[in-house]
Amino acid sequence: MTTYTAPARDMQFLLHDVLRVSEQDIPGYAEMDRDFTAAVLEEAGKIASEVLHPVNQTGDTEGCRLENGVVRTPTGFKQAYDQIRDGGWIGLDLDPEYGGQGMPYLLGTAVGEAFVSANMALNMYWGLTHGAINAIHSHASDELKRIYLPKMVAGEWSGTMNLTEPHAGTDLGIMRTKAEPAEDGTWRITGQKIFISAGEHDLTENIIHLVLAKAPGGGPGTKGISLFIVPKFLVNPDGSLGERNALSCGKIEEKMGIHGNATCVMNYDGATGYLVGELHKGMRAMFTMMNEARIGVGLQGYAVAETAYQNALAYARDRLQGRDVTGPKNPEGPADPIIVHPDVRRMLMDQKSFVEGARAFAFWGASLIDRSIRAEDGDAHGLISLMTPVIKGFLTDKGFEATVQAQQVFGGHGYIEEWGMSQFVRDARITMIYEGANGIQALDLVGRKLGQDGGRHTMAFFEMIKRFIKENEGNAALKADFLDPLKAASKALQEAGMYFMAEGMKNPHNALAGSYDFMHMMGHVCLGYMWTHMARAALEGLEAGGGDEAFLKAKLATGRYYMARQLPAVGAHLARIKTGAAPVMALDPEAFDH
Amino acid sequence: MTTYTAPARDMQFLLHDVLRVSEQDIPGYAEMDRDFTAAVLEEAGKIASEVLHPVNQTGDTEGCRLENGVVRTPTGFKQAYDQIRDGGWIGLDLDPEYGGQGMPYLLGTAVGEAFVSANMALNMYWGLTHGAINAIHSHASDELKRIYLPKMVAGEWSGTMNLTEPHAGTDLGIMRTKAEPAEDGTWRITGQKIFISAGEHDLTENIIHLVLAKAPGGGPGTKGISLFIVPKFLVNPDGSLGERNALSCGKIEEKMGIHGNATCVMNYDGATGYLVGELHKGMRAMFTMMNEARIGVGLQGYAVAETAYQNALAYARDRLQGRDVTGPKNPEGPADPIIVHPDVRRMLMDQKSFVEGARAFAFWGASLIDRSIRAEDGDAHGLISLMTPVIKGFLTDKGFEATVQAQQVFGGHGYIEEWGMSQFVRDARITMIYEGANGIQALDLVGRKLGQDGGRHTMAFFEMIKRFIKENEGNAALKADFLDPLKAASKALQEAGMYFMAEGMKNPHNALAGSYDFMHMMGHVCLGYMWTHMARAALEGLEAGGGDEAFLKAKLATGRYYMARQLPAVGAHLARIKTGAAPVMALDPEAFDH
């Protein structure tokens, strides 16, 4: 019932007119010319629309089934997965040494967005593999890399991350899963992990679990945690599959959404594991995986909203109800299409201005990752580290909101499963929760990232915006609609930061009680910054002529909408922050009943 | 897995300390003393917790099934319905002439909240009957009343409302269902209606459909519409059930939530109908039903949020993760309960301050209905008419938001169906859509209600707040925390109203583009007004002594939270409104693709 078309034109605009990739001094970027990225995006878009999206709704309806320890994915998932694997998409941006194509992470992000938009639940199977590969790549021994990476990069084996236990989610320090050393240098892993996405399935011949466990001799809390590779099937020295390892899927959870992805309870019963990186330093390795995963979840947040928006737009143009109060727009028909009504327009503009701003933010973030890794730029690393909780928390909160709004455009039909909008909402909901619930992202931002490296990256962030405003203030077309509101919002954000510094010293609760609002303020400032960049590029394009004039004008109008109608939210956030902890903590835990 | 306890203490506080019911000059209110309402609420709360809530989650899981034209409700629904019926709860606030108990609508609202909180899907079966009864009571002939009302008031027969058709939702003027006169004075109804809640089920022996249809000779659009009673079984002159009428349930919809309530496609194939009220004046009768239904949906919005809040609170006290940054609160345990964390407290305070404010708003609204009907007070009628779209739109938007937040407190467990939080979110979602999607409520508010009767009720609303502020400004304990923010918010709302008057004259789109924001501003002002009333009552109670001091202090703290942290949202709404239609309507319908 729903459809999806990859927004290739918008992606090209971002890559070439806003980020100007081929001019950037990042290894691998010079090859990214317009024709090349157009070809990649066209092919990815085709697969997204024709292979992945057609099994999205059926995947939701059918869900996964656990039968005799084996998980059956929904009809068509295997065939779709095979096409992704055979096309080499999984290794698009991975190390050529292990069979990857070595493209920039930025291009992987653009392709990833299209795949997630088309079928979030299915994309997760290789999305998690991607994270597992990077953790192994960064931390495991050469031997482990040689054994596992080629098969994983090729998509023949998939990967998972095993952190959560029934009593230990955010607080990993209290986990109970144990690792005992065996005589042959391997480890025996025993314990139960929950919420393991793609923990068991029928898409690949082997599943490589990355498992956090406590090995003897570590300190208390997270200090004692180590990371292990625990494969579903042990691997023989010649690379062929050996015995089944002592692990199993005990249950798959009935969830609100992403039914096509199997969320497993995993039982490890003395399973053979291989230490990744140093003993008792597992958290560091896991963070590699988690940071990538967080950015990936931020991408899911707006990617699902994009598909919901496309379908809401089509419905708003098609559905005839009522008349434009200023005069009929479809006088021959029984009523006007609902897109004529200002309140329907408001909903569509909210969604469009969010999704396009979010896309720019995610792409910019991806370019920072490339700059950090490929150009070994420490400042870029610091900046993306600061941005990670904002990308995750803000884009998923707002992405969910936008998806709910898209559903709202459908009226009663939005509530009926057949129309597909309910699935988008149910799928999008998880993005606010997993990989660290959004409250944890806010805590990470305010409690850790703002002050990291002496606050250097935070200062650089504000400096960057200030410099950008200064460089462009002569541009009259940008001034009132973009630069002025950006300046005001950025100032408000700085004011909030100052408040935290002054009042957080007295009582850290004063900062933490405002952390969530700060994350949202920062998200708005980032999107405002992105919109100002996009507006500048659109104005340049219009001046140069010869481009897609209608697209560039729509871009400017959408940006003006964001600046005028979304950015003012920062004022309310600042007001909340400046109340401090007092109203938030006024009630004792016992006093909450009414 | 979930639990529910009716907030009887808070309800009693509202009835007796805030609304001071027994002092009010409204027929039937004198009998509502503390002991009496306490007894009613206790009994209702018991049924809610012990009878209705235990079949809430199973009702969601099982859903309804259509078998050979018969709808089977989930296990236990019939037994629970029978207890509600036998207890006389359906007729609690209905006309004694037809078997009701004649209690005020306000008391019915309090009881209704508990029933909805416990099991929204089940409550809908008699909730819709209630609306159908009132439409018949207000508009039908004495003969029809005599035949249908006693059985409906007793809950032996249920009622429905049939408005929507596949191509006609909001725009009822384009409906196609036809009514043809028969020789015996009855009518033959032919057409298809969709989204008919409780359209077919096994809880009652007969179902009385109220159906809108076009009879010959009416004007175009809604002018030609008439209202008919179309019973599932025809009724013999002696009141016994006769032949099956020519109507049937063609399908039940697969929905996002409220699975326990059967949403039916109803086919009328020349079914026998009886005209209600005047020919071609059906819309007026339907509005009686719809206005009541809208207030009922507003109540659903916060009632579901209440249950979600109760469960989130219990989880936050129970779940151990991490430590309070200012020092452990549960040093003997492996971690502190998550309620120690400021961001978890923020989520709980957001929910608590919304739900309690919403309850006050709904109860106040119910007392206006009583004043309007029982005391025949035209001003009260005008005021509740103005408030109706706000109660519906604001309380359901915010109720959904609060329910999502309650789910968020559960982290990953919130996403797993077993824990029950997903159901609350899925159930709450419909309240923003049905009985007029919330955008339609905003349109009703700004396009119709603000200017109704020459704007008299709007002016009276602002006057009432102004007077209240003036009367209390000597109260130092109220001034800074309550009166000042209320004054500022009310001023901002007036400013928005002025903007609409000035700019809406030039182009009505300038008002309609801001209608949604206006509805939210007005909702905040109403809740701010309620909180100030509650704070005053709490202060008086504390001064008088002898009351529940902990409860009254918590009430004040919760109110301060609302005023300090929720009310500032009006600023952002005002900023959006004052951008006018230009940014909203800047893109042509063709320019929305990207």
Side-chain angles (χ1 to χ4, degrees):
Chain A
M1 205 84 183
T2 57
T3 61
Y4 171 70
T5 309
R9 184 168 63 169
D10 199 39
M11 289 177 171
Q12 286 283 82
F13 171 73
L14 287 175
L15 293 176
H16 302 290
D17 301 312
V18 180
L19 295 171
R20 300 175 178 279
V21 283
S22 49
E23 294 168 24
Q24 283 200 41
D25 186 23
I26 298 174
Y29 269 45
E31 294 80 4
M32 303 248 291
D33 63 34
R34 262 179 214 275
D35 290 347
F36 175 71
T37 60
V40 172
L41 294 177
E42 192 191 335
E43 191 54 30
K46 215 172 136 185
I47 291 174
S49 302
E50 297 172 12
V51 178
L52 305 182
H53 197 61
V55 293
N56 186 52
Q57 203 171 349
T58 50
D60 178 64
T61 312
E62 270 188 47
C64 296
R65 283 166 302 135
L66 176 66
E67 290 168 356
N68 305 319
V70 178
V71 170
R72 305 271 169 227
T73 54
T75 308
F77 268 39
K78 176 86 177 97
Q79 290 83 340
Y81 181 88
D82 288 350
Q83 286 202 50
I84 291 290
R85 187 197 59 208
D86 295 346
W89 292 102
I90 297 170
L92 186 77
D93 56 0
L94 294 173
D95 190 348
E97 194 181 333
Y98 299 102
Q101 298 190 48
M103 307 275 174
Y105 184 78
L106 174 57
L107 194 61
T109 297
V111 169
E113 183 200 307
F115 290 173
V116 171
S117 286
N119 195 325
M120 176 173 155
L122 177 51
N123 182 85
M124 285 173 68
Y125 288 100
W126 61 87
L128 287 156
T129 304
H130 202 279
I133 289 169
N134 281 342
I136 294 172
H137 193 270
S138 306
H139 301 282
S141 67
D142 286 343
E143 198 197 340
L144 287 174
K145 288 197 220 179
R146 190 187 49 75
I147 298 171
Y148 291 97
L149 289 185
K151 294 281 194 181
M152 291 175 80
V153 170
E156 289 177 40
W157 300 351
S158 67
T160 72
M161 50 197 289
N162 288 237
L163 289 79
T164 307
E165 299 180 8
H167 68 293
T170 300
D171 192 349
L172 290 172
I174 56 177
M175 73 167 53
R176 292 184 192 135
T177 298
K178 282 196 164 38
E180 303 282 349
E183 288 184 2
D184 60 357
T186 66
W187 296 76
R188 297 287 163 272
I189 312 294
T190 306
Q192 187 177 65
K193 296 285 182 177
I194 62 168
F195 302 159
I196 309 309
S197 299
E200 173 59 37
H201 58 81
D202 54 5
L203 302 181
T204 57
E205 57 182 19
N206 202 3
I207 302 174
I208 312 307
H209 301 287
L210 286 181
V211 182
L212 286 185
K214 287 197 167 177
T222 56
K223 290 191 199 82
I225 292 173
S226 304
L227 180 67
F228 300 89
I229 285 178
V230 189
K232 176 176 167 184
F233 289 99
L234 298 175
V235 182
N236 295 323
D238 67 353
S240 65
L241 294 187
E243 267 181 75
R244 174 76 195 234
N245 204 350
L247 62 91
S248 61
C249 166
K251 183 187 171 189
I252 52 179
E253 307 281 1
E254 296 289 335
K255 307 185 299 292
M256 185 177 181
I258 50 167
H259 293 156
N261 199 279
T263 304
C264 300
V265 173
M266 295 301 299
N267 297 315
Y268 295 91
D269 304 304
T272 300
Y274 306 90
L275 181 68
V276 174
E278 284 178 66
L279 190 65
H280 305 143
K281 296 272 166 67
M283 286 304 286
R284 223 185 48 180
M286 205 40 134
F287 265 114
T288 304
M289 207 159 152
M290 215 145 63
N291 277 331
E292 180 186 329
R294 286 177 174 181
I295 292 174
V297 173
L299 183 142
Q300 290 179 330
Y302 81 84
V304 175
E306 163 69 33
T307 314
Y309 166 72
Q310 288 187 15
N311 286 279
L313 174 60
Y315 188 83
R317 283 170 171 161
D318 188 57
R319 175 80 173 169
L320 306 179
Q321 294 289 283
R323 293 290 185 190
D324 184 344
V325 287
T326 62
K329 290 289 178 291
N330 175 34
E332 309 300 309
D336 289 344
I338 60 171
I339 198 169
V340 305
H341 304 301
D343 195 62
V344 172
R345 280 286 236 292
R346 169 191 65 84
M347 292 194 274
L348 293 172
M349 289 300 288
D350 273 351
Q351 295 164 58
K352 182 175 168 68
S353 64
F354 163 71
V355 168
E356 292 179 13
R359 177 174 298 122
F361 190 25
F363 279 30
W364 176 57
S367 78
L368 287 175
I369 290 176
D370 282 329
R371 183 171 293 284
S372 147
I373 295 173
R374 292 175 172 248
E376 293 176 6
D377 181 329
D379 290 340
H381 179 77
L383 194 53
I384 187 60
S385 171
L386 176 65
M387 293 293 128
T388 298
V390 184
I391 291 175
K392 199 283 183 180
F394 182 71
L395 296 191
T396 60
D397 274 2
K398 288 284 162 185
F400 177 71
E401 222 177 274
T403 306
V404 168
Q405 215 167 28
Q407 183 188 30
Q408 190 74 13
V409 171
F410 280 71
H413 296 102
Y415 201 64
I416 308 298
E417 290 294 346
E418 194 185 340
W419 288 77
M421 301 307 286
S422 164
Q423 183 191 352
F424 297 139
V425 171
R426 290 184 290 96
D427 285 358
R429 183 66 185 89
I430 189 59
T431 65
M432 296 157 71
I433 298 173
Y434 65 12
E435 303 308 337
N438 285 355
I440 296 298
Q441 304 300 325
L443 179 66
D444 179 47
L445 175 63
V446 170
R448 184 167 12 191
K449 299 293 176 65
L450 281 185
Q452 207 167 40
D453 299 329
R456 193 155 59 82
H457 311 300
T458 307
M459 285 184 282
F461 170 78
F462 284 117
E463 200 43 55
M464 172 186 75
I465 293 177
K466 207 168 143 187
R467 199 170 54 238
F468 176 78
I469 292 172
K470 200 159 181 188
E471 276 168 19
N472 291 282
E473 63 191 357
N475 190 336
L478 278 183
K479 185 94 177 48
D481 291 345
F482 293 93
L483 294 169
D484 291 349
L486 175 63
K487 197 173 188 172
S490 170
K491 227 183 109 187
L493 183 66
Q494 272 177 289
E495 195 179 330
M498 294 296 186
Y499 178 86
F500 287 163
M501 288 222 279
E503 302 299 321
M505 293 289 183
K506 298 177 196 160
N507 177 355
H509 282 178
N510 281 327
L512 297 182
S515 58
Y516 208 85
D517 284 290
F518 189 85
M519 178 175 79
H520 272 255
M521 281 185 92
M522 191 144 170
H524 277 298
V525 170
C526 288
L527 259 61
Y529 179 58
M530 290 297 121
W531 268 117
T532 311
H533 268 282
M534 289 193 278
R536 187 178 65 170
L539 287 167
E540 286 168 1
L542 285 168
E543 204 174 321
D548 185 340
E549 199 173 314
F551 172 81
L552 296 171
K553 284 186 170 171
K555 187 58 81 178
L556 275 169
T558 309
R560 283 192 198 105
Y561 183 92
Y562 192 89
M563 304 308 278
R565 308 232 342 157
Q566 307 254 51
L567 208 53
V570 298
H573 289 300
L574 180 61
R576 278 201 279 271
I577 286 170
K578 290 173 79 176
T579 65
V584 179
M585 305 300 285
L587 292 186
D588 286 335
E590 304 74 43
F592 274 82
D593 307 277
H594 43 226
Chain B
M1 205 85 187
T2 56
T3 61
Y4 170 70
T5 309
R9 184 168 62 170
D10 199 41
M11 290 177 172
Q12 286 282 85
F13 171 73
L14 286 174
L15 293 176
H16 303 289
D17 301 312
V18 180
L19 295 171
R20 299 175 179 279
V21 283
S22 49
E23 295 169 24
Q24 284 201 38
D25 186 23
I26 299 175
Y29 270 44
E31 293 81 3
M32 301 248 291
D33 63 34
R34 262 179 213 275
D35 290 345
F36 175 71
T37 60
V40 172
L41 293 176
E42 193 193 333
E43 190 54 30
K46 215 172 135 185
I47 291 175
S49 302
E50 296 172 13
V51 178
L52 305 182
H53 197 60
V55 294
N56 186 51
Q57 204 171 349
T58 49
D60 178 64
T61 313
E62 270 189 47
C64 296
R65 283 166 302 133
L66 176 66
E67 289 167 356
N68 304 321
V70 178
V71 169
R72 304 270 169 229
T73 54
T75 308
F77 268 39
K78 176 85 177 98
Q79 290 83 340
Y81 180 88
D82 289 349
Q83 286 202 50
I84 292 289
R85 187 197 58 209
D86 295 347
W89 292 102
I90 296 171
L92 187 76
D93 55 1
L94 294 173
D95 189 348
E97 193 182 333
Y98 300 102
Q101 299 189 49
M103 307 273 174
Y105 184 77
L106 173 58
L107 193 61
T109 297
V111 169
E113 183 201 308
F115 289 173
V116 171
S117 286
N119 195 325
M120 174 172 155
L122 177 50
N123 182 84
M124 285 173 68
Y125 289 100
W126 61 87
L128 287 156
T129 304
H130 202 279
I133 288 169
N134 281 343
I136 295 172
H137 193 271
S138 307
H139 301 281
S141 66
D142 286 343
E143 197 198 340
L144 287 174
K145 286 197 222 180
R146 189 187 51 73
I147 298 171
Y148 290 97
L149 289 185
K151 294 281 193 179
M152 292 176 80
V153 170
E156 289 178 41
W157 299 352
S158 67
T160 71
M161 52 197 287
N162 288 237
L163 289 78
T164 307
E165 299 180 9
H167 69 293
T170 300
D171 192 349
L172 290 172
I174 57 177
M175 73 168 50
R176 292 185 193 135
T177 298
K178 283 197 163 38
E180 304 281 350
E183 287 182 4
D184 61 357
T186 67
W187 296 77
R188 296 286 163 274
I189 312 294
T190 306
Q192 188 178 65
K193 296 285 180 176
I194 62 168
F195 301 160
I196 309 309
S197 298
E200 172 59 37
H201 58 80
D202 55 5
L203 302 181
T204 57
E205 57 183 17
N206 202 4
I207 302 174
I208 312 308
H209 301 285
L210 285 181
V211 182
L212 287 185
K214 287 198 167 175
T222 55
K223 290 191 200 80
I225 293 174
S226 305
L227 180 66
F228 299 89
I229 284 177
V230 189
K232 177 176 166 184
F233 288 100
L234 298 175
V235 182
N236 295 323
D238 67 354
S240 65
L241 294 186
E243 266 181 77
R244 174 78 195 232
N245 206 348
L247 61 91
S248 61
C249 167
K251 183 186 171 189
I252 52 179
E253 308 281 0
E254 296 288 334
K255 308 184 299 291
M256 185 176 182
I258 48 165
H259 293 155
N261 200 279
T263 304
C264 300
V265 173
M266 295 301 299
N267 296 315
Y268 295 91
D269 303 305
T272 300
Y274 306 90
L275 181 67
V276 174
E278 285 179 66
L279 191 65
H280 304 142
K281 296 271 166 69
M283 286 304 286
R284 223 185 47 180
M286 205 40 135
F287 265 113
T288 304
M289 205 157 153
M290 214 143 65
N291 277 330
E292 180 186 330
R294 286 178 174 179
I295 292 173
V297 173
L299 183 143
Q300 289 178 331
Y302 81 84
V304 175
E306 163 69 34
T307 315
Y309 166 72
Q310 289 187 15
N311 286 279
L313 174 60
Y315 188 83
R317 282 170 172 161
D318 186 58
R319 175 79 172 168
L320 307 178
Q321 295 289 281
R323 292 290 185 191
D324 184 344
V325 288
T326 63
K329 291 289 178 290
N330 175 34
E332 309 300 309
D336 289 344
I338 61 172
I339 198 170
V340 306
H341 303 302
D343 195 63
V344 172
R345 280 286 236 292
R346 169 190 66 83
M347 291 194 275
L348 293 172
M349 288 301 288
D350 273 351
Q351 294 165 58
K352 182 175 168 67
S353 65
F354 163 70
V355 168
E356 292 180 13
R359 176 174 300 122
F361 190 26
F363 279 30
W364 176 58
S367 77
L368 287 176
I369 290 176
D370 281 327
R371 184 172 293 285
S372 145
I373 296 174
R374 292 174 173 248
E376 293 177 4
D377 181 330
D379 291 339
H381 179 76
L383 194 53
I384 187 60
S385 170
L386 176 65
M387 292 293 130
T388 298
V390 184
I391 291 175
K392 198 283 182 179
F394 182 70
L395 296 190
T396 60
D397 273 2
K398 288 284 162 185
F400 177 71
E401 223 176 275
T403 306
V404 168
Q405 216 167 28
Q407 182 188 31
Q408 190 74 13
V409 171
F410 279 72
H413 296 104
Y415 202 64
I416 308 298
E417 290 294 346
E418 195 185 340
W419 288 77
M421 301 306 286
S422 164
Q423 183 192 352
F424 296 139
V425 170
R426 291 184 290 95
D427 285 358
R429 183 65 184 91
I430 190 58
T431 64
M432 295 157 70
I433 298 173
Y434 63 13
E435 303 309 335
N438 285 355
I440 297 300
Q441 304 302 324
L443 179 66
D444 179 45
L445 175 63
V446 170
R448 185 167 10 193
K449 300 292 176 64
L450 281 186
Q452 206 167 41
D453 298 329
R456 194 156 58 83
H457 311 300
T458 307
M459 285 184 282
F461 170 77
F462 283 117
E463 201 44 53
M464 172 187 74
I465 293 177
K466 209 168 143 187
R467 200 170 53 236
F468 176 78
I469 293 172
K470 201 161 182 187
E471 276 167 20
N472 290 283
E473 64 191 355
N475 189 336
L478 278 183
K479 184 96 176 47
D481 291 345
F482 292 93
L483 295 170
D484 291 349
L486 174 62
K487 196 174 189 173
S490 170
K491 226 182 108 186
L493 183 66
Q494 273 177 288
E495 195 180 331
M498 296 293 187
Y499 178 86
F500 287 162
M501 289 222 278
E503 301 300 321
M505 294 288 183
K506 298 176 196 159
N507 178 355
H509 282 179
N510 280 327
L512 297 182
S515 58
Y516 209 85
D517 284 288
F518 189 85
M519 178 175 78
H520 272 254
M521 282 186 91
M522 191 144 171
H524 277 298
V525 169
C526 289
L527 259 61
Y529 179 57
M530 289 299 120
W531 269 116
T532 310
H533 268 282
M534 289 193 278
R536 188 178 64 169
L539 287 167
E540 285 168 0
L542 285 168
E543 204 174 321
D548 185 340
E549 199 174 314
F551 172 81
L552 296 172
K553 283 185 170 170
K555 186 58 81 177
L556 275 170
T558 308
R560 283 192 198 104
Y561 182 93
Y562 192 89
M563 303 309 278
R565 309 233 341 159
Q566 307 254 52
L567 208 53
V570 296
H573 289 300
L574 179 61
R576 278 200 280 272
I577 286 169
K578 289 173 79 175
T579 65
V584 178
M585 305 300 284
L587 291 185
D588 286 335
E590 305 72 44
F592 273 82
D593 307 277
H594 43 226

